[in-house]
């Protein structure tokens, strides 16, 4: 699995965090290991392949937040209002630290 990481950018972020805190962009297992050992008190992480050409809204990264209530097996209620949350700065593919 270590070889599968080579040459590809990955991103690791704590599952509880928001606003881009404690995020690491890395390309090797060793980088990930050092980061996780440094933040050993955090137990849950999300690790995924870094999207190098993301879909942008007004030149910024973004995501939607929708609220849903599931009742039982078949009833799902979707709140009509959906939030669009965007980054403070325009996306710059050459700046992985931001």
């Amino acid at each position: 699995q270590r070889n599968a990481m080579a040459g590809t950018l990955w991103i690791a972020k704590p599952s509880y965090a928001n606003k881009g805190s404690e995020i690491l962009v890395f390309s090797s297992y060793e980088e990930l290991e050092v980061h996780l050992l440094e933040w050993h008190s955090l137990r849950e992480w999300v690790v995924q392949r870094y999207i190098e050409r993301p879909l942008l809204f007004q030149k910024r990264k973004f995501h939607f937040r929708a609220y849903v209530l599931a009742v039982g097996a078949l009833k799902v209620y979707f709140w009509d209002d959906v939030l669009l949350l965007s980054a403070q700065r325009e996306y710059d593919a050459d700046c992985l630290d931001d």
Side-chain angles (χ1 to χ4, degrees):
Q1 289 184 357
R2 289 183 187 198
N3 290 338
M5 290 183 147
T8 302
L9 288 178
W10 296 83
I11 186 168
K13 47 193 167 184
S15 62
Y16 75 88
N18 59 19
K19 300 180 183 173
S21 60
E22 287 110 27
I23 288 179
L24 171 70
V25 177
F26 62 98
S27 60
S28 73
Y29 179 83
E30 289 74 20
E31 288 177 84
L32 175 62
E33 187 175 37
V34 167
H35 187 72
L36 295 181
L37 289 172
E38 182 179 317
W39 291 92
H40 61 85
S41 61
L42 302 178
R43 299 183 66 179
E44 296 178 10
W45 291 82
V46 174
V47 177
Q48 66 189 56
R49 189 176 297 230
Y50 184 78
I51 300 171
E52 296 184 42
R53 292 179 47 208
L55 180 63
L56 302 175
F57 173 73
Q58 298 180 347
K59 300 182 182 178
R60 300 169 192 271
K61 285 186 170 183
F62 71 96
H63 70 273
F64 292 106
R65 185 166 298 161
Y67 296 97
V68 176
L69 173 65
V71 180
L74 298 175
K75 286 188 181 181
V76 176
Y77 300 93
F78 185 85
W79 186 258
D80 290 337
D81 296 327
V82 176
L83 295 175
L84 182 141
L85 302 166
S86 70
Q88 291 180 342
R89 296 185 206 125
E90 291 183 357
Y91 176 68
D92 179 358
D94 296 325
C95 182
L96 296 178
D97 294 332
D98 186 19

